[in-house]
Amino acid sequence: MIVASSTCRVCGATEHTLVVERVKDWEYGVEGEWAYRRCASCGLLQLEPFPTVEDLVEAYDVDYHGYRTTAEKGRLYKLLFDVKDGLFKKKIAKVIPRGAALLDVGCGSGEYLRRMSFLEPSRIDGIDFNETAVELARSKGVNCFQGIFPDYPGEPDTYDAVFMNNYLEHTLDPGVEVEKALRLLKPGGALIGEVPNFRSVDRKVFGRYWGGNHVPRHTFQFEPGSLTALLERAGFQDVRTNQELSSNHLTLSIQNWLQRKTPDLAANPRITHGRTWYYNHLLLATAPVNLLFKLAGRSGVMKFFARKAG
Ligand SMILES: [Zn+2]
């Protein structure tokens, strides 16, 4: 089925408004300019023009930060990550049983699943379409499927938890993705993930330079309301969104703004793995500002939690 660019891929509605235009790939310099359209019916924000699968494969064929490990991202990054990770594990331990069967959709290097080993999981499965990511995940002992989630041959009622960290915003149809997660979860199982928050203060302030845009890889954008509605339409219960303490998108927005005039973004000498040398310093410096945004319910990153009926 060919879906016209002006049609919402999730609900099929055509009525929409353009929210932000002339967005570029400030980090990796993939050629083109994009906009986000807000669907008048379901409220989801969809990239316009919508990339083909071939375009997307090419867009990840860069020195992509998502395939680096935390340690490779620098000591400061790792320090911040470890503090947050400790808090997150405490929360996870309350909602996922020991010996759980886990699936990480868009598992990247497999690092996140390895960090869940404190749960002594009975099964750690992952999915990623990138060959490098799959190799890295397998080297960490993750049972990794190479491909996209809709093609994953998982059995229904298999997992206690499905993770979608920084994943839904990369997909061709988030509705199909969350419906599949619901099928694969055991009754009472949890879907846990993280997405950029399009309703954040940094999004409002930085517009086309916002770090969460990340075009053309971020094909969809979410706000607390539209994400909750998406999960509830799929059949999930107990849906919650939480504003995350994360200055990633705020920091990336500043980096994008500072790098915006670089003549050749694809060969920007100041950028390695999509990041400048000052990125980690800015992460720390902007953390107090992000804390204020979080407290106002408008952080650049949000987590979500949803449960399959038990
Ligand atoms: Zn829609």
Side-chain angles (χ1 to χ4, degrees), residues 197 199-206 210 293 296 298-300:
N197 181 8
R199 204 171 168 272
S200 57
V201 179
D202 32 289
R203 212 296 301 169
K204 272 262 177 221
V205 171
F206 286 93
W210 182 48
F293 294 174
R298 307 285 286 269
S299 173

Side-chain angles (χ1 to χ4, degrees), residues 9-74:
R9 298 172 68 92
V10 177
C11 77
T14 51
E15 211 176 306
H16 66 272
T17 45
L18 283 181
V19 180
V20 60
E21 295 178 80
R22 296 186 301 125
V23 188
K24 290 188 188 181
D25 181 11
W26 312 106
E27 294 155 77
Y28 301 97
V30 167
E31 203 62 41
E33 286 197 0
W34 290 268
Y36 280 107
R37 67 183 297 284
R38 188 196 307 271
C39 174
S41 177
C42 72
L44 292 175
L45 292 125
Q46 180 175 301
L47 195 60
E48 177 125 339
F50 200 87
T52 63
V53 173
E54 291 74 31
D55 290 340
L56 285 171
V57 168
E58 217 168 281
Y60 290 95
D61 192 18
V62 291
D63 187 13
Y64 194 49
H65 74 101
Y67 304 137
R68 318 303 301 183
T69 64
T70 308
E72 283 176 305
K73 290 176 185 174

